[in-house]
Amino acid sequence: MHIDAFQTLADPTRRRVLDALRLGERQVNDVVEEIGIHQSGVSRHLRILHEAGFVAVRPDGPRRLYSLKPEPFRELDAWLGRYRQVWDARLDRFGEALEARQQQCQCARSDGT
Amino acid sequence: MKDEIRSSIVIERTYKAEPAELWDLWTTKEGFESWWGPEGFRADVHRIEGHHGGPLHYDMVAATPAMIAAMESMGQPTSTACKGCFSEFRPYERLVLTQVIDFLPRVQPYDSRIEVDFIPVAEGHVRMIVTLSQMHDAQTTTMQLQGFTSQLSKLDRRFGWEG
């Protein structure tokens, strides 16, 4: 897991910039309009996101178009997945404990009849 | 307002059971001890009070010879005291277990929150949705990430979470 990914996402404005790119390629002005901060701020955050691998940029004539890159999100998901697995195993035990109790109750009921 | 980073994992299962049966596994000493892991560990509950704000104090104890040996070889204790409370308690519907994670060296204590919703679905079946969140102050998190991430890896090893 790259620590940089979390450091990059620690900034709330950068998370909003990422949100603005969720629907596809945008240019800086679109993002400025959507999140309502100054263009220099958006450009700075886009540069950081680009350097951290979250965002791709391509020229389109005089414009530069920004879009999300999937790799760091997959990496975050894989990292979280390890903790999901722990809970999968834990809930397997939860299910086993539940069954054991249900069987006990059934036995107790049949003993009582 | 402090900006917080909240990372969440949602996991859900459906059980053939009544909500009260699932509820007891979370809120009674016998129930909780019967499944709370992780693998190779057992929970020894010292105090559990089923009400809003009720405490849940337990020791996480290495329970197999292999786990005890593994912990000792890493210089880690074979038993760790865990303290939490039921910060929400709506019988058979929803509970929130908030635990203070204060046993990681060089990591500021933080809250780990486990939300559990019990939703009756088809006849005699209950969907249980578990949402796990860890709350960190963003600024502190940025400073601590390196240490925290490395501690999580240690925690992985410590609890045998590495797959």
Side-chain angles (χ1 to χ4, degrees):
Chain A
M1 180 67 214
H2 289 172
I3 292 159
D4 284 350
F6 281 123
Q7 284 173 332
T8 305
L9 297 179
D11 185 292
T13 308
R14 277 203 281 283
R15 296 200 294 274
R16 287 169 62 203
V17 171
L18 288 177
D19 285 346
L21 296 175
R22 271 189 310 182
L23 297 178
E25 265 187 338
R26 312 287 289 275
Q27 51 179 324
V28 174
N29 286 345
D30 296 333
V31 180
V32 168
E33 197 173 308
E34 180 151 340
I35 69 176
I37 65 165
H38 196 270
Q39 178 170 341
S40 62
V42 171
S43 295
R44 184 171 60 86
H45 286 304
L46 281 169
R47 180 176 51 77
I48 293 167
L49 288 166
H50 179 244
E51 285 170 2
F54 280 87
V55 164
V57 55
R58 71 176 181 91
D60 178 36
R63 305 184 307 168
R64 287 163 71 80
L65 294 173
Y66 294 87
S67 59
L68 295 181
K69 289 179 73 176
E71 291 84 358
F73 295 99
R74 287 191 189 130
E75 199 174 301
L76 288 166
D77 189 54
W79 188 81
L80 285 173
R82 298 191 319 187
Y83 296 90
R84 226 177 269 130
Q85 282 167 12
V86 172
W87 270 85
D88 266 329
R90 189 169 262 173
L91 291 187
D92 285 346
R93 286 193 300 277
F94 185 92
E96 288 160 15
L98 176 67
E99 278 180 28
R101 282 164 79 94
Q102 288 174 331
Q103 279 169 10
Q104 263 182 357
C105 285
Q106 276 170 0
C107 290
R109 272 201 297 272
S110 26
D111 287 349
T113 53
Chain B
M1 193 178 100
K2 273 205 294 191
D3 183 51
E4 287 183 322
I5 291 183
R6 177 171 170 164
S7 54
S8 295
I9 297 174
V10 180
I11 185 165
E12 60 176 85
R13 295 278 177 97
T14 299
Y15 299 101
K16 187 177 180 188
E18 296 302 319
E21 292 177 295
L22 305 188
W23 184 259
D24 284 353
L25 286 172
W26 284 92
T27 59
T28 65
K29 174 179 163 64
E30 191 194 9
F32 192 82
E33 287 179 342
S34 70
W35 67 278
W36 188 259
E39 204 67 51
F41 286 80
R42 68 166 196 272
D44 288 349
V45 174
H46 302 298
R47 192 171 173 203
I48 183 165
E49 292 179 21
H51 57 81
H52 180 84
L56 170 56
H57 298 172
Y58 61 96
D59 288 339
M60 188 91 89
V61 183
T64 62
M67 189 56 74
I68 292 168
M71 299 297 283
E72 285 174 348
S73 74
M74 288 185 284
Q76 300 285 346
T78 55
S79 172
T80 301
C82 301
K83 288 192 174 179
C85 76
F86 293 110
S87 47
E88 278 187 53
F89 198 87
R90 300 211 310 262
Y92 317 136
E93 287 178 15
R94 175 179 164 83
L95 64 82
V96 177
L97 173 60
T98 303
Q99 298 187 89
V100 181
I101 307 299
D102 60 358
F103 47 80
L104 299 179
R106 294 188 300 283
V107 175
Q108 289 289 319
Y110 65 91
D111 283 349
S112 153
R113 189 177 149 94
I114 302 171
E115 298 169 44
V116 194
D117 290 286
F118 305 87
I119 301 170
V121 280
E123 179 71 29
H125 289 74
V126 182
R127 193 161 125 222
M128 186 171 87
I129 303 172
V130 180
T131 306
L132 315 161
S133 312
Q134 293 175 337
M135 309 291 288
H136 309 281
D137 165 62
Q139 191 184 0
T140 316
T141 300
T142 306
M143 293 188 295
Q144 288 179 343
L145 269 169
Q146 185 139 11
F148 175 67
T149 308
S150 106
Q151 288 308 323
L152 273 183
S153 303
K154 281 185 188 166
L155 199 66
D156 279 0
R157 289 196 294 275
R158 176 175 184 170
F159 289 153
W161 286 356
E162 282 177 328

